[in-house]
Amino acid sequence: MKKKILCILLLIFAVKAGASTGRSIYNFDFDWLFSRYGLQADGTRLEEPVAAESILFDDRNWKQLDLPYDWAIEGPFRPDLEGFTGKLPWRGIGWYRKHFKVEKKDEGKRLYLDFDGAMAHAEVWLNGKKVGGHPYGYTSFRVDLTPAVVYGGENVVAVRLNTEDMGSRWYPGAGIYRHVRLVKTSQVHVDHWGVFVTTPQISDKEAKAVISVKLRNHLPDPVKGHYAVSVYELDAEDGVGAEVAKCKSLSLNLPADGTLEDSVTVTVSEPRRWSLEQTNRYLARVVVFDGKKQVDTYEVPFGFRTIRFTHDNGFLLNGKRVQIQGTCNHHDLGALGTAVNKVALERQLKILKSFGCNALRTSHNIPAPELLDLADKMGFLVMDEAFDCWKKGKQPGDYGSLFEEWHVKDLEALVCRDRNHPSVILWSTGNEVPEQYTPELGIARYLTDVVHRFDKTRPVTFGASYPSKSAMNGTELQVDVHGMNYAAGVYGGPHFYGEFLNKEGHEHLSGFSSESSSTMSSRGEYFPRKFHVSSYDLNEPGWGGLPDQEFAALDRYPAICGEFVWTGFDYLGEPTPFNSDKTVLLNHAAALSKEELKKQEEELKKIEENRPTSRSSYFGIVDLAGFPKDRYYLYQSRWMPDYPMVHILPHWNFENKKGENIPVFVYSSGDEVELFLNGKSLGKKQKQAFEYRFRWNEVPYEPGELKAVAYKDGKVWAEASVKTTGAPVKLKLTPDKKILKSDGEDLIFVRVSVLDADGNEVPTAEPLIKATLDGPGKIVATDNGDPTCLIPFPETTRPAFNGLYLAIVKANRGANAYSGGYPFSISGDIRSVPS
Ligand code: GAL
């Protein structure tokens, strides 16, 4: 067995210090205690104790853990639970407690806890006193601990979360699944998300940045103060470089126990613009003074770039057209669930980049802040989305039940938190909302205006379903840019959308595909087994389409800014076509006759009767484990036209199909492909207009080698082959990096493939594999990309799925200091090879 040595490096924990700066920010993720009540993972109930928020409550038997923590991802998967939320036991009541000390010398400071998100209906107490909470699990929120803090002694924070009656159309996860920070400030400080940088003028020579600041004074008397702003260059690792501008405010009178807003304008010479290729960023540092003393320092990264959605020339970034090649994604990280992890997110974005994806839609909720940091640094455009529904819910207990009371607060939190990110180009207030059919109520316009209260620099949209019946009924005039789900038939076909756009009064409109495709497939399945979908990329649900149809529509109607494909990755839940959730169907009900609707409802009933084990989606271009499906190469051929590539499908291991005709598809960025079977040419094919794959529909199967040679402009462009392999005999372990930090967050993803005696990967092999680890770390989860597999993710023994298996390794946090790192090894063991 080949062993790979992985090293762990010790990370020195960094806390942004500050006695001199007036603000300190502490990581508050570690050493929490947790207990689950109400619905348990096995479906039984455990009564909630009385007064679990009390300082005296006995929590000694609670589970100790670090955040972020998703209490449901360990499962078990339960066949009796709904497939559309992942067959995972996420409903329940979770209590988290943390004991911590606050020093006497902190007396007089303000103490806040910042939650990046907690699922759901969070209520927070400090020392038994309620200090805040937030119901929508995707919103970042702050609680002020100050009134309840014990200075110079122990404090207990308690958080209650409740997902029992919550509704979701996908796996929402459960618990404090994002980071928490403790923030200490002076009584006079920059308010939460209190700095907003806009860039109204940008030229090669100079750019202006307007820095708006909201200051808060908690003291009972007015305070005379001022603030100073400096702008610095910021490198890709967040290193602060040269100062490029500075400015001071005039003296300000901060009202007693109140807030004050002000702004200054600075000029930066020869600004380096933010673009997808050059992700140049700057840092605005605001330093607040009360009289002569510095009382606060607040920093925000930002970028100089212009954005414009045009009527007839798509989307312009810095004045140049950029075709939106986006993907929609839900927030889970596959086998890691919804517990946010920056390393896992970065891996996802690297995979998306590798096939040319340049834009992300945070469907259909407020993302983790780390996603936007990564998008800024790695060069993605972001459609930052708030909700899946407005007042009219889609599931009992979903956002529909919160909308009335919370929508302004949630939109404010989303926009104020995210409005400095250059990657964010669009705000989205919703997705396929039933209110789109009643434009006369003006709800879309109202929500567009709410967003503009907090940011006027970016357009607002929402994803409208069935555009010819909904978004073209007047609703589209209530948003700034027209988001259309599954509209290829509308703008590609009879140019209906073109006519619509050319109507009087519509000159300002521009549109994009907010959701496209919804093609379904299981990686590596060509003649699919039960509850699988073929990887020939020819299956779509009633409302969806194939990638090729969207490509053709965009080619026919280039005024459209581009597309967001449903989806980049497979995700937990919504395993269409083995999904019995009615709400997706109802999203498109406007398109269906009564008879069609009835027929589809009956089909949904049948799905349930068949008891599918499917628990994750089939929509991804990449599977749940992060392994590319064939479709990855179809998008790569379209989205990276200058990258020489050619890909053949299917594999060539069809022992039982000798002499039978097998369809062979080739995806290539070339314009011509010649296919060879065992050295014999099967002919050359040219890419035809509005065709995006090369097809040989009937290739008589004989074992051996299929080879494709792609040409561009008559010259050889790329070559690839697939071979009939021998029997599986060994494993190959390929970690995605060699050094692992012991910071409690870093991860190594180990791709395990099954090889024959000659070292070829066997694409059909499904041996039972057990991964083990020697050293101060843990295999935190494994996966194989099979959407029907009900083995819990923490299990280290599972079969490979179509030749692949994934192990995710984490080092023990702060594992003994030793400057050389910690050598340990991971090994895989073939337990059994099915005959
Ligand atoms: C859309 C919906 C998405 C997802 C998708 C599946 O209609 O907006 O959230 O359900 O269908 O194809």
Side-chain angles (χ1 to χ4, degrees), residues 23 60 96 137 142 224 251 512 527 657 702 706 713:
R23 175 179 293 252
R60 281 172 300 177
Y96 293 75
R142 160 171 282 190
K224 248 198 171 40
S251 170
F512 70 103
F527 301 96
K657 294 195 182 288
E702 62 182 55
L706 259 187
D713 302 326

Side-chain angles (χ1 to χ4, degrees), residues 105 136 208 233 261 351 385 506 550 674 681 700 717:
K105 69 173 169 40
Y136 187 40
K208 297 227 180 296
E233 290 176 343
E261 290 178 46
I351 294 171
E385 186 151 276
H506 289 187
E550 187 69 35
E674 185 164 14
S681 174
W717 176 246

Side-chain angles (χ1 to χ4, degrees), residues 169 364 431-432 485-486 515 518 541 543 566 571 574 584 587-588 619:
R169 296 194 300 113
H364 304 296
N431 172 59
E432 298 188 342
N485 287 5
Y486 307 103
E515 215 170 296
S518 268
W543 58 88
W566 191 266
Y571 51 92
E574 215 182 11
V584 186
N587 284 350
H588 301 275
F619 292 122

Side-chain angles (χ1 to χ4, degrees), residues 432-501:
E432 298 188 342
V433 289
E435 289 87 342
Q436 68 194 336
Y437 301 112
T438 47
E440 63 282 6
L441 300 179
I443 302 181
R445 158 62 56 213
Y446 160 73
L447 290 172
T448 301
D449 291 344
V450 171
V451 171
H452 284 320
R453 274 186 226 164
F454 310 108
D455 178 22
K456 292 188 174 50
T457 72
R458 295 174 179 86
V460 179
T461 187
F462 75 91
S465 45
Y466 206 59
S468 65
K469 285 203 180 159
S470 56
M472 295 191 198
N473 58 3
T475 312
E476 73 291 339
L477 299 173
Q478 303 182 12
V479 292
D480 303 315
V481 180
H482 191 184
M484 297 171 277
N485 287 5
Y486 307 103
V490 174
Y491 51 72
H495 286 206
F496 172 30
Y497 188 68
E499 280 168 29
F500 172 80
L501 270 191

Side-chain angles (χ1 to χ4, degrees), residues 41-292:
D42 63 3
T44 58
R45 292 196 74 88
L46 183 64
E47 206 180 319
E48 213 178 340
V50 178
E53 74 279 11
S54 153
I55 194 158
L56 298 173
F57 183 81
D58 184 359
D59 55 18
R60 281 172 300 177
N61 292 329
W62 284 22
K63 182 175 171 175
Q64 190 172 332
L65 50 81
D66 295 337
L67 305 179
Y69 178 70
D70 170 358
W71 80 54
I73 192 59
E74 292 183 2
F77 287 108
R78 293 227 321 263
D80 60 308
L81 293 178
E82 305 101 338
F84 63 88
T85 55
K87 292 196 179 296
L88 282 165
W90 55 274
R91 288 179 192 279
I93 294 171
W95 275 91
Y96 293 75
R97 287 168 58 93
K98 179 170 158 114
H99 298 247
F100 65 107
K101 289 214 166 64
V102 177
E103 293 183 40
K104 191 85 188 144
K105 69 173 169 40
D106 282 338
E107 214 151 3
K109 287 187 183 154
R110 309 276 332 162
L111 266 64
Y112 300 102
L113 271 193
D114 283 351
F115 291 81
D116 286 345
M119 192 65 73
H121 296 279
E123 295 173 84
V124 187
W125 292 262
L126 182 69
N127 303 326
K129 185 169 175 190
K130 188 89 170 267
V131 286
H134 200 95
Y136 187 40
Y138 297 104
T139 301
S140 296
F141 63 98
R142 160 171 282 190
V143 296
D144 187 354
L145 302 181
T146 320
V149 175
V150 173
Y151 293 93
E154 182 168 285
N155 289 262
V156 184
V157 64
V159 182
R160 180 183 189 265
L161 298 167
N162 184 356
T163 51
E164 292 221 324
D165 300 321
M166 207 184 108
S168 181
R169 296 194 300 113
W170 56 86
Y171 175 68
I176 311 181
Y177 69 112
R178 290 183 181 163
H179 293 289
V180 183
R181 287 169 303 280
L182 175 68
V183 180
K184 295 183 188 172
T185 69
S186 313
Q187 296 291 345
V188 175
H189 62 84
V190 173
D191 206 7
H192 195 208
W193 302 316
V195 175
F196 179 24
V197 184
T198 57
T199 54
Q201 277 177 42
I202 307 172
S203 72
D204 290 347
K205 202 167 145 252
E206 61 175 41
K208 297 227 180 296
V210 178
I211 293 132
S212 308
V213 180
K214 186 171 176 192
L215 297 171
R216 177 167 285 278
N217 172 20
H218 284 280
L219 297 170
D221 301 309
V223 169
K224 248 198 171 40
H226 73 277
Y227 62 92
V229 174
S230 311
V231 176
Y232 301 88
E233 290 176 343
L234 193 61
D235 72 20
E237 272 77 50
D238 292 328
V240 180
E243 185 182 77
V244 293
K246 65 174 169 192
C247 183
K248 243 193 207 171
S249 74
L250 297 173
S251 170
L252 303 167
N253 281 320
L254 288 159
D257 196 16
T259 60
L260 183 125
E261 290 178 46
D262 192 58
S263 66
V264 293
T265 302
V266 297
T267 304
V268 174
S269 307
E270 295 176 18
R272 292 176 304 131
R273 287 179 178 83
W274 182 91
S275 69
L276 298 186
E277 300 76 29
Q278 303 278 326
T279 54
N280 298 312
R281 294 174 308 144
Y282 290 84
L283 182 86
R285 178 178 292 155
V286 176
V287 181
V288 184
F289 297 86
D290 100 25
K292 284 219 164 80

